[in-house]
Amino acid sequence: MENFVFQNPTKIIFGKGVEKETGRETAAFSRRVLLHTGGGSAKKSGLHDRICQSLKAAGVAWVELPGVMPNPRLSLVHEGIRTCRREKLDFILAVGGGSVIDSAKAIGIGVPYEGDVWDFYATRDVPVKQMLPVGVVLTIPAAGSEASNGSVITKEEGGLKRDAGGECMRPRFAVMNPELTFTLPPYQTACGASDIMAHVMERYFTRAAAVDFTDRLCEATLRTIIRNAPIALEHPTDYDARAEIMWASTVAHNDLLGTGRVSDWATHQIEHELSGIYDVAHGAGLAVMFPAWMRHVMSADVRRFAQFASRVWDVEYDFAAPERTAREGIARLSAFFRSIGLPTTLKELGVTDDRFAEMAKKSVDRGEIGNFVRLDAAAVQKIFALAR
Ligand code: NZQ
Ligand code: ZN
């Protein structure tokens, strides 16, 4: 096990009806906030009204900035920074999913920064030192941004989707009511499941030795999603299934599962190229790219892949030919993604070969990616070809 420091300060307020606590939680930080929301689902469900009532009751005033799109855009972040400065707002309340939260974080790091906020995303050389406090009311379990230290933003010009990170970027609180996820369309539920699993698998596939405890935590988290995602798809208002998925989504990406190990993250970098250019849903891109990445790197440690197959997918361990076990595990992962309605080929996403080389080159523009196996542009191009 590697040495590690683990500190996750995000306060989680979880369960039925907890959104009524939002005003009180927010008031502990500020009485003048930016209320940041997405494309309208929160208004449609009535959540928006309930949040406004809760803020009002707690004596919190707000200025609203709606309109965050999936794969959140830099231009709206710039608008949010201007609004916060002009209106002297010192707290951001994000009501929505990963896109709204990431946009809120970007605004939060942009307000106190003198340069262009994109500096934090364009390179790894500009450290994030400060962020306005951010609070979250989560409406989709997927990205894990409600307790993560990162934000992913798309710069429209050039279709660049890039991440920034820093420990100060973890939200102060996350209000999480699984009932709020009853209205999710099936495709978003499935995309969320795939993203949650990807966050675990990025950590699971490590070269660090003696990590049995976190291996088991990862396997339990994966099995929880494998069991509950189909239930939530069949019965969208099943509270218990929604609750299992929602809590798993936070734990999958709050860094607990990565303690003592070196995580990979190549597949996320590769997927961001797809989302940046083709505007595909992050979870759908991951469902296509993860099995392809696995097939490319499997030979570096076949036994880890065979362990994944036997412990997560109940594949019988073939001690004479662990590679066969490993391959069956990857096949079952793909089959699972298909069974919950996700694409498993680039073709289904409308992505053709002509931009593989460009995307591969862009994916390494901040340096080679991945830790399980280091990948250069040529390797990434091969992985795109495997995902055809
Ligand atoms: O905008 P609205 O109208 O709310 O609709 C959203 C959106 O269309 C809808 N939705 C959300 N909650 C709903 C709902 N519809 C009905 N009922 C509800 N309760 O779902 C759609 C997707 O929302 P989005 O926020 O984009 O989803 P998600 O949470 O999957 O976030 C994806 C973004 O997070 C980034 C991804 O790259 C992507 O841009 N990630 C952020 C990470 C982080 N900051 O730590 C890590 C992740 O790996 C990921 O990269
Ligand atoms: Zn992700």
Side-chain angles (χ1 to χ4, degrees):
M1 197 187 297
E2 309 273 322
N3 290 4
F4 67 88
V5 174
F6 175 67
Q7 183 175 23
N8 192 305
T10 305
K11 176 178 178 182
I12 306 290
I13 303 123
F14 191 99
K16 292 178 184 169
V18 290
E19 63 273 22
K20 63 178 183 296
E21 308 291 332
T22 308
R24 202 172 55 200
E25 294 295 331
T26 305
F29 294 95
S30 169
R31 302 279 166 160
R32 252 184 97 65
V33 311
L34 183 75
L35 174 57
H36 203 27
T37 55
S41 73
K43 277 216 162 131
K44 208 166 139 201
S45 68
L47 172 66
H48 183 269
D49 280 350
R50 298 205 296 285
I51 296 299
C52 291
Q53 279 161 18
S54 173
L55 291 174
K56 219 178 204 170
V60 176
W62 67 93
V63 174
E64 191 149 350
L65 181 62
V68 179
M69 294 196 277
N71 300 320
R73 309 298 201 267
L74 182 62
S75 54
L76 194 70
V77 170
H78 283 146
E79 189 182 332
I81 293 170
R82 285 194 299 272
T83 306
C84 285
R85 287 178 180 160
R86 189 181 62 238
E87 303 285 339
K88 306 209 176 335
L89 311 174
D90 56 6
F91 183 91
I92 307 168
L93 181 64
V95 178
S99 295
V100 177
I101 304 166
D102 285 2
S103 183
K105 288 177 176 179
I107 295 168
I109 60 176
V111 170
Y113 180 64
E114 282 180 6
D116 181 353
V117 67
W118 186 251
D119 294 349
F120 296 119
Y121 295 83
T123 74
R124 302 236 180 254
D125 303 336
V126 186
V128 180
K129 294 188 181 141
Q130 229 185 322
M131 180 175 85
L132 292 188
V134 169
V136 170
V137 179
L138 187 66
T139 63
I140 169 171
S145 186
E146 66 278 6
S148 83
N149 64 357
S151 155
V152 191
I153 296 295
T154 298
K155 183 181 187 180
E156 294 92 325
E157 191 191 341
L160 284 176
K161 186 170 180 180
R162 294 288 178 268
D163 63 285
E167 281 309 302
C168 65
M169 291 175 69
R170 297 191 197 268
R172 300 303 175 94
F173 64 80
V175 168
M176 297 170 49
N177 175 357
E179 293 168 313
L180 301 179
T181 69
F182 289 175
T183 53
L184 279 171
Y187 190 64
Q188 292 301 339
T189 298
C191 284
S194 147
D195 194 17
I196 296 164
M197 291 175 74
H199 295 156
V200 181
M201 295 186 296
E202 295 280 16
R203 294 174 167 95
Y204 190 80
F205 291 99
T206 184
R207 307 296 281 278
V211 286
D212 192 42
F213 173 57
T214 41
D215 271 0
R216 304 276 179 183
L217 291 177
C218 287
E219 290 153 5
T221 311
L222 290 168
R223 293 187 72 112
T224 298
I225 299 302
I226 293 163
R227 180 177 150 72
N228 287 285
I231 299 173
L233 284 168
E234 186 138 347
H235 306 287
T237 59
D238 185 318
Y239 180 85
D240 294 335
R242 293 292 194 183
E244 299 287 354
I245 295 169
M246 198 172 212
W247 185 218
S249 77
T250 304
V251 173
H253 199 39
N254 74 355
D255 285 330
L256 173 67
L257 304 188
T259 47
R261 35 206 305 144
V262 178
S263 303
D264 187 71
W265 297 108
T267 311
H268 265 70
Q269 305 288 339
I270 295 169
E271 194 293 314
H272 288 166
E273 299 312 320
L274 289 177
S275 288
I277 292 183
Y278 295 94
D279 203 20
V280 303
H282 175 59
L286 289 168
V288 171
M289 296 314 304
F290 231 111
W293 172 83
M294 288 176 160
R295 291 201 293 277
H296 183 78
V297 302
M298 192 186 83
S299 60
D301 186 353
V302 168
R303 281 192 306 183
R304 178 149 283 278
F305 277 91
Q307 175 183 300
F308 169 74
S310 77
R311 291 195 196 163
V312 177
W313 299 100
D314 297 325
V315 178
E316 198 180 330
Y317 204 115
D318 186 339
F319 288 96
E323 192 185 324
R324 201 177 304 158
T325 312
R327 283 198 187 284
E328 178 58 22
I330 300 170
R332 294 215 191 161
L333 174 68
S334 256
F336 174 75
F337 286 148
R338 265 196 307 283
S339 75
I340 59 171
L342 290 173
T344 52
T345 63
L346 286 171
K347 201 167 157 211
E348 290 164 85
L349 288 176
V351 177
T352 44
D353 301 22
D354 50 327
R355 296 187 82 170
F356 284 0
E358 176 194 348
M359 289 193 292
K361 190 159 166 257
K362 275 169 73 189
S363 74
V364 298
D365 67 2
R366 293 184 296 181
E368 288 186 358
I369 57 174
N371 290 307
F372 189 77
V373 173
R374 295 296 285 168
L375 302 175
D376 59 14
V380 175
Q381 196 169 337
K382 280 188 194 146
I383 294 172
F384 277 124
L386 282 172
R388 264 195 192 103

